[in-house]
Amino acid sequence: MRAKEVKAPPQCVRRVCGTHENACANARRRRAGPTSEQQAVRPRLSWRGLSRPVKMLRVVSWNINGIRRPLQGVANQEPSNCAAVAVGRILDELDADIVCLQETKVTRDALTEPLAIVEGYNSYFSFSRNRSGYSGVATFCKDSATPVAAEEGLRGLFAPQNGDVGCYGNTDEFTQEELRALDSEGRALLTQHKICTWEGKERTLTLINVYCPHADPGRPERLVFKMRFYRLLQIRAEALLAAGSHVIILGDLNTAHRPIDHWDSANLVRLPLGAWPHS
């Protein structure tokens, strides 16, 4: 669902979750431009949109814990009870050019068209091929931020013939069986976009939307799987960087940098320093 126009001064647009007065205030702030403090911390990447030559890129990441779960309450508020309206409303309230979702918990057979196809957006999904209702990531891009290439997985084993991102790096340390297992749980999506730096140079930006594996203390093989996933992610990111692309890795990394970053620090699985992947 796109923003709805209201009878108000020019450039005053009301979002579903906003009010007329808030919209007017936001419009005035946008026309006034950023403050000196905002200018100092503003990122130095922008992209070429359809409405303006240069525009800031807003990206949102969210572990949604089941894409159908939060939609139930929103959909019930809509007269038509339509999933497409519900998804559109959530995307509209997030107000981002690109929305990266993790833990969608939906497989291809359970993904309905209204859930996947939202007006004004291009959507990309990666599903678990082993278990139903498990893992999964999705990326929604506004039409004005449509990627030039998109790809599922870190090794490209499920990439289409055309439009894949490429740049896989040297993965000789992995067996083909291991690579297929790492890409079969629906944990990574790559979208590649053309951006324009503030110096006016066109560059490539690759977004890697990931839902990294969880280390189960009762299943030591999952810790090995987790660390191998990290290693493959590192190889892919470094290969993209070496090819000249900007790279942003975002999503649910399932890793706490320090105990204070975790809600249950007493039960954290602590890894020896040598276990972390490195160059």
Side-chain angles (χ1 to χ4, degrees):
M1 179 186 296
R2 293 180 176 174
K4 297 180 179 179
E5 295 184 358
V6 296
K7 294 180 180 180
Q11 300 186 34
C12 180
V13 177
R14 180 168 68 104
R15 294 286 178 178
V16 174
C17 61
T19 63
H20 179 87
E21 291 75 17
N22 288 340
C24 291
N26 290 335
R28 286 194 294 270
R29 282 195 295 270
R30 286 193 296 270
R31 290 195 294 271
T35 64
S36 57
E37 292 80 4
Q38 292 170 331
Q39 184 80 19
V41 300
R42 189 164 59 175
R44 295 188 61 80
L45 292 181
S46 58
W47 57 281
R48 293 190 181 277
L50 298 179
S51 58
R52 290 184 293 176
V54 177
K55 182 179 182 295
M56 299 306 299
L57 181 68
R58 176 176 168 85
V59 182
V60 168
S61 175
W62 179 15
N63 183 319
I64 202 168
N65 192 23
I67 192 171
R68 289 169 292 184
R69 182 178 175 184
L71 300 181
Q72 295 171 358
V74 177
N76 291 336
Q77 300 173 21
E78 301 292 342
S80 61
N81 197 31
C82 177
V85 175
V87 177
R89 180 175 177 180
I90 288 177
L91 294 175
D92 189 62
E93 291 186 5
L94 291 174
D95 192 26
D97 302 296
I98 302 173
V99 177
C100 298
L101 306 178
Q102 303 86 41
E103 204 171 359
T104 54
K105 294 183 178 180
V106 63
T107 49
R108 186 180 297 274
D109 58 337
L111 185 66
T112 61
E113 183 175 314
L115 194 64
I117 301 177
V118 181
E119 182 183 357
Y121 290 85
N122 295 274
S123 60
Y124 307 85
F125 288 78
S126 180
F127 312 94
S128 172
R129 287 164 168 77
N130 303 325
R131 293 169 55 184
S132 179
Y134 175 75
S135 188
V137 290
T139 301
F140 285 83
C141 303
K142 279 186 177 179
D143 288 343
S144 53
T146 300
V148 295
E151 184 179 304
E152 177 184 9
L154 293 175
R155 188 55 186 87
L157 299 178
F158 306 114
Q161 292 295 324
N162 299 313
D164 54 335
V165 175
C167 299
Y168 303 107
N170 187 346
T171 57
D172 290 345
E173 63 188 79
F174 297 86
T175 66
Q176 285 300 308
E177 181 181 359
E178 189 177 15
L179 289 172
R180 183 164 291 275
L182 290 169
D183 266 359
S184 292
E185 293 191 356
R187 295 186 176 275
L189 264 176
L190 285 76
T191 56
Q192 201 162 67
H193 309 261
K194 290 298 182 181
I195 62 172
C196 180
T197 66
W198 280 20
E199 291 76 19
K201 298 179 180 178
E202 187 175 83
R203 296 289 299 276
T204 298
L205 169 67
T206 306
L207 291 178
I208 308 180
N209 177 12
V210 292
Y211 175 47
C212 295
H214 170 68
D216 187 345
R219 299 174 60 195
E221 71 277 7
R222 291 302 293 178
L223 175 57
V224 175
F225 186 89
K226 177 187 180 87
M227 300 312 298
R228 296 299 278 169
F229 185 89
Y230 282 154
R231 176 60 180 152
L232 187 58
L233 175 60
Q234 179 188 20
I235 291 173
R236 186 67 188 276
E238 289 178 348
L240 288 162
L241 286 170
S245 174
H246 292 291
V247 176
I248 297 178
I249 300 173
L250 74 168
D252 187 343
L253 300 181
N254 251 326
T255 296
H257 180 215
R258 297 179 181 178
I260 196 174
D261 298 318
H262 197 277
W263 72 276
D264 187 15
S265 59
N267 293 321
L268 277 178
V269 178
R270 289 176 170 78
L271 304 177
L273 183 60
W276 292 102
H278 57 277
S279 300

